[in-house]
């Protein structure tokens, strides 16, 4: 229970990011959403490093060694690239090609996120 409570402060910037990205995209200010996305990633990364420094263990290292870290990092980096593409494409949805790309990137990101969540759910 203590570990779950320690993750609560990381949820706040993610929630704020969702609201800010929604506002920025709807008002046509995509660059603000990219800056907010970068700041949220930086904060959450620093917060997790702080927690690890205080002795919190988020996952056992043995399964990571067994399953290898490379596929996991590839999935994370691909999802980050797709998320950035989702932030950049809404400004160009007036073009028919960009609208199709936006839908494709969104569906791919949603599918990868679902697979990632299911993997964590069944692995734990």
């Amino acid at each position: 229970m203590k570990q779950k409570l320690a993750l609560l402060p990381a949820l706040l910037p993610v929630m704020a990011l969702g609201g800010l990205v929604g506002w920025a995209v709807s008002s046509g200010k995509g660059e603000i959403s990219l800056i907010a996305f970068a700041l949220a990633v930086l904060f959450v990364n620093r917060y997790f490093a702080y927690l690890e420094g205080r002795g919190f263990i988020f996952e056992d290292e043995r399964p990571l060694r067994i399953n290898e870290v490379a596929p996991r990092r590839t999935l994370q980096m691909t999802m980050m690239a797709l998320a950035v593409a989702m932030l950049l494409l809404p400004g160009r949805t007036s073009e028919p090609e960009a609208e199709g790309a936006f839908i494709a990137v969104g569906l791919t990101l949603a599918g990868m996120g679902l697979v990632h969540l299911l993997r964590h759910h069944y692995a734990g």
Side-chain angles (χ1 to χ4, degrees):
M1 183 67 174
K2 185 179 178 183
Q3 278 191 320
K4 290 186 180 186
L5 287 176
L7 296 177
L8 222 65
L11 183 63
L12 296 174
V14 173
M15 289 172 48
L17 173 67
L20 189 60
V21 167
W23 169 80
V25 169
S26 67
S27 64
K29 299 177 182 176
E31 60 276 355
I32 293 176
S33 61
L34 283 174
I35 292 168
F37 182 73
L39 288 175
V41 167
L42 181 67
F43 175 79
V44 170
N45 188 15
R46 291 288 113 215
Y47 182 68
F48 283 164
Y50 165 76
L51 287 178
E52 286 177 356
R54 294 193 62 206
F56 281 86
I57 299 172
F58 293 105
E59 55 187 310
D60 192 7
E61 290 185 18
R62 289 173 291 169
L64 286 179
R65 288 188 188 130
I66 293 168
N67 295 333
E68 297 183 38
V69 178
R72 185 171 161 234
R73 291 289 179 231
T74 302
L75 179 65
Q76 289 173 342
M77 294 305 294
T78 304
M79 288 178 67
M80 293 289 279
L82 288 172
V84 169
M86 286 291 292
L87 294 174
L88 292 175
L89 283 174
R92 299 183 178 175
T93 53
S94 60
E95 303 169 18
E97 300 87 16
E99 187 175 346
F102 182 73
I103 293 169
V105 168
L107 289 174
T108 304
L109 182 59
M112 288 180 72
L114 182 63
V115 168
H116 192 62
L117 285 173
L118 288 175
R119 185 178 145 270
H120 278 292
H121 176 71
Y122 288 110

